[in-house]
Amino acid sequence: MNDNDRSIVGFAMLAHATVHTYELSIPIFVVVWLQQFSTTTALLGTIVAVGYALFGIGALPGGVLADLLSARTVVIGCLLGMGGSFLLLGFAPGIPTIALALGLWGVAASVYHPAGLSLLSTGVSERGTGFAYHGMAGNVGIAFGPLATALLLLAFDWRTVAGLLSIPAALAVAYAVTAEFDEMAAVRADGGADEGRGGGPSSLGEFVTGTRTLFTAGFALAICVVLMNGVFYRGVLTFLPDVLGGFLPPITDYVRLFDPGSPMAEEFDLASYVYAGLLTVGIAGQYAGGKLTDRISVTTGLIGVFAALAVVAVLFVPAAQAGLGPLLAVSAVLGFVLFAIQPLYQATIAEYSPPDDRGLSYGFTYLANFGVGAAGAALSGILLSAVGTDGTFLALAAFPVLGAALAVALSRVGTRRGAA
């Protein structure tokens, strides 16, 4: 990569990791909030779901902004908004302010993916390498967020930790305002016109026309596949640290890290570290899923991974009840498979959308996955209150089953299109 590529990729990697650091730190805070406030998993799940929904809903307007304005400007605004939201969270006296802070975080974070992906596609000449590093940075943030939050909670109360988590956004903004790069370098290198930004729809009519063109039967099925993944992803992860805590024994049963009764022993939550480890395994899942897209059809890969997710969901509670070893094993498999599907559905969207509408197609993708899929957080909270952990995982298993069925239907659409 040249200097311009490295500057853009470094900026995008830092911002991407920051977005997901915040996203996956929230479930760690959920465990604390359930203990400190008189609330239920149903109410807290709904509050978290609203924040996560806004994270996806803003993807479409975020994509339009990225086309109309400088992508750097949009990403800097995203970072400032996320950092400010966690500062507000650090001063939250109760559940209403927590809900407000999470909602503001969702709005700010929502614009990142369309803006960041747009920046990479127009500015980086070695796009494949740029996207690879970008994805890896996202997974580092996914694993680092809960781990850093759990470690900080050993020494500080949750409000202080929330305030400290605003620092990564501040550092990313400091880098962003000093980094020098050309956002349109790759477009010019490919022979495109040097017109800068401003290529988004200029009217509601153009947006509607582009959407109608995009939504073929194949693309609509692909979006439904993404939606099934989004609901399952959010439904499983939101309360997973709390769920794991119900199965894990005290750490002192296995190793004496701290003196019993000491403040560190009281604050140490083994479930948070198992959760972080599960997400770290997801990095390997992402790599494996990406390799699969080069070797088999995306629909075949989706069917296989969805089937694996359904099996893991059904077996998760029995394995967790069998002891620490089976719990760690099934958690590792869940983390691997849960993230292996991401490259597959991203490649599916590319396969069933025209290149000229790729930005719009990924806007709808993140709207479905992060926006509508956020309902999984509320659903799992309600299910945990009503039917317990066993019933929750059995109910959530229905979504990968539906995803596999939709992938089968999508493969037939692809066959007919190929034959035509």
Side-chain angles (χ1 to χ4, degrees), residues 3-370:
D3 290 342
N4 191 71
D5 287 358
R6 285 191 289 270
S7 184
I8 290 177
V9 170
F11 169 56
M13 287 176 66
L14 185 58
H16 195 203
T18 304
V19 168
H20 289 296
T21 293
Y22 291 128
E23 178 201 2
L24 272 301
S25 71
I26 293 172
I28 301 297
F29 285 117
V30 165
V31 178
V32 180
W33 295 334
L34 285 171
Q35 296 172 351
Q36 293 204 359
F37 298 105
S38 298
T39 185
T40 64
T41 56
L43 176 60
L44 198 54
T46 301
I47 289 171
V48 173
V50 171
Y52 281 148
L54 292 171
F55 182 28
I57 291 170
L60 278 178
V64 174
L65 283 175
D67 285 338
L68 294 175
L69 305 174
S70 159
R72 183 209 298 258
T73 300
V74 176
V75 174
I76 289 175
C78 162
L79 293 168
L80 288 171
M82 291 192 301
S85 300
F86 266 67
L87 274 179
L88 175 61
L89 188 62
F91 291 97
I95 294 297
T97 310
I98 290 174
L100 175 62
L102 294 182
L104 292 174
W105 171 83
V107 171
S110 67
V111 302
Y112 173 72
H113 283 91
L117 293 172
S118 175
L119 175 61
L120 289 168
S121 66
T122 61
V124 177
S125 57
E126 295 186 30
R127 293 186 184 92
T129 302
F131 280 122
Y133 285 126
H134 179 259
M136 291 170 63
N139 270 84
V140 169
I142 285 170
F144 174 78
L147 179 60
T149 304
L151 289 172
L152 288 170
L153 284 170
L154 289 175
F156 305 101
D157 66 90
W158 71 266
R159 291 183 177 86
T160 301
V161 173
L164 290 173
L165 285 177
S166 66
I167 295 175
L171 294 176
V173 170
Y175 176 82
V177 298
T178 58
E180 295 183 1
F181 52 78
D182 180 356
E183 293 191 16
M184 307 302 293
V187 173
R188 283 196 299 276
D190 289 340
D194 185 13
E195 297 178 354
R197 299 288 171 180
S202 59
S203 67
L204 179 61
E206 289 185 9
F207 175 79
V208 172
T209 299
T211 300
R212 287 176 177 172
T213 303
L214 180 63
F215 268 86
T216 61
F219 183 77
L221 280 171
I223 287 295
C224 290
V225 166
V226 172
L227 176 58
M228 293 302 104
N229 172 74
V231 174
F232 182 81
Y233 173 91
R234 198 61 75 194
V236 167
L237 290 185
T238 299
F239 290 97
L240 190 55
D242 189 56
V243 168
L244 289 170
F247 293 113
L248 288 166
I251 187 62
T252 52
D253 287 0
Y254 294 91
V255 59
R256 187 169 179 174
L257 294 177
F258 316 107
D259 291 330
S262 68
M264 293 288 282
E266 292 179 0
E267 294 297 330
F268 188 86
D269 182 11
L270 178 60
S272 296
Y273 298 92
V274 174
Y275 179 70
L278 178 155
L279 297 174
T280 303
V281 173
I283 297 175
Q286 282 259 17
Y287 179 81
K291 288 296 184 181
L292 277 178
T293 63
D294 294 330
R295 289 169 169 75
I296 61 176
S297 71
V298 290
T299 50
T300 300
L302 285 170
I303 293 167
V305 176
F306 269 130
L309 282 174
V311 172
V312 172
V314 171
L315 296 180
F316 188 88
V317 173
Q321 293 172 334
L324 180 62
L327 172 59
L328 295 177
V330 76
S331 296
V333 173
L334 175 62
F336 183 90
V337 181
L338 192 62
F339 288 94
I341 202 169
Q342 291 189 8
L344 288 164
Y345 75 66
Q346 289 168 352
T348 301
I349 293 296
E351 188 168 313
Y352 287 88
S353 63
D356 290 344
D357 289 326
R358 196 60 49 75
L360 185 60
S361 70
Y362 281 111
F364 279 110
T365 298
Y366 287 107
L367 172 62
N369 192 48
F370 291 148

